Amino acid sequence: MGVTGIKSPLPVVEPTGAPPPSAAPALPGISGLAAGELEAWFAARGAPGFRARQVAYAVWRGKAESAAEIRTLPAGLRAELDTAFRFDTVGDTEIRLADGGLTEKALHRLVDGALVESVLMHYPARGSQRERHTLCISSQAGCAVGCPFCATGELGFTRDLETAEIVDQVRHAVRRLAVDGKRLTNVVFMGMGEPLLNLDRVLEAVDALNDRRRFGLGARHITVSTSGVVPGIRRLTALGPQFTLAVSLHAARDALRDVLVPLNRRWPIAEVVGAARDHARATGRRVSYEVTMISGVNDTPTDAHAMADLLRGDHAHVNLIPMNPVAHTPWVASPDDVIERFAATLLDAGIATTIRRNRGAEIGAACGQLAAERSGEPPAAAVARRRARLVGESAAALRGERSHEPSPVGAGE
């Protein structure tokens, strides 16, 4: 089957080649239906309401991969369901294991050939901490934000994921965990794409994951990440959800963040942090700030003090993350001692700070790395131009010069 490190008998296959041409649109994924929509589907066929509950249980708790497996339904209804819906939108999946099996990287090929990734991370019980199993999922195929230290940014934007394509990443991981009698404890929207640029579908996915009639994961075990889409953060605040908001900050100076997070050319740091601050006040939930540490770029004492001044007194937590290798970027991760000094500056300012150690480096577990590998190498001349541009832009940013280039296509739309 060409799959590395499979530890369960699940039907997991390595995606190969382009998908077959289809004359008709793909069937909708059944996991993307709200409870009322499924009930309406059965009612239109004269079936009682409890049939919808039977199907929902099979999809979310019984782990059914087709209607044929729902033996509590009459054969006629099973056949109709299988002609109306797909029970698995991420079935063509490759799994790679790393860290002695503690990290599982999944590459999912969707029906149109788009590639997305999810990463399942296992954390054994330690001291007073219980065992955890956290899944990082994607909300888009590719990404329009264009962060140059991220492999997904190299791929560009393909399309938004449908609700079922988001939650089926979760269902796929749950089936793998069930083989060993384990259960998923946390879901983080930190995979490929910018969740707040696909906010309607992300909110539907969060609702499905949180709904006791469907997956039933507590809102406080769900984290939604953003590169700083201010209108999306404001909308989340208005809705008042209790899940955790994570902001990919990466720099506390606008000139530098323009380079690291091109989307910031539309929303300056003060606006991003202001929106996150309001979200924390409204929900009572601490905001998590993610900072990818890049040697000689955003890890200087000046940057550490700027971040301390920016976040001092906020209900916030900062995660410092060494940069993962990205093939077409001239940068490397900050040395450990530099990251530790940066963390000390934030801690001295009273800001909760954690240094996160990367996992799964040998299997390309960082966002977009495996999909980028499958997409092939760009021309050498293009790589050289990209590297030269980033070197020039980062040098200008360190001098305090802001970029006047337009924000990426689709950003904030």
Side-chain angles (χ1 to χ4, degrees), residues 143 146-157 325-329 368 372 378 386:
C143 185
C147 301
F149 53 82
C150 174
T152 306
E154 295 181 346
L155 295 173
F157 176 70
V326 177
H328 312 130
T329 295
R386 185 175 192 270

Side-chain angles (χ1 to χ4, degrees), residues 301-322:
T302 298
D303 289 293
H305 289 292
M307 193 163 293
D309 291 341
L310 178 68
L311 301 179
R312 186 179 279 108
D314 282 3
H315 190 35
H317 181 275
V318 175
N319 284 312
L320 304 179
I321 310 163

Side-chain angles (χ1 to χ4, degrees), residues 336-388:
D336 288 348
D337 60 330
V338 173
I339 299 177
E340 288 165 3
R341 285 196 295 272
F342 196 108
T345 299
L346 299 182
L347 290 167
D348 288 345
I351 300 166
T353 304
T354 302
I355 299 174
R356 188 189 299 170
R357 301 303 177 187
N358 291 326
R359 295 176 59 168
E362 67 267 38
I363 58 169
C367 181
Q369 286 184 317
L370 191 50
E373 172 189 311
R374 289 307 176 84
S375 298
E377 285 289 320
V383 173
R385 286 195 301 271
R386 185 175 192 270
R387 284 173 168 262

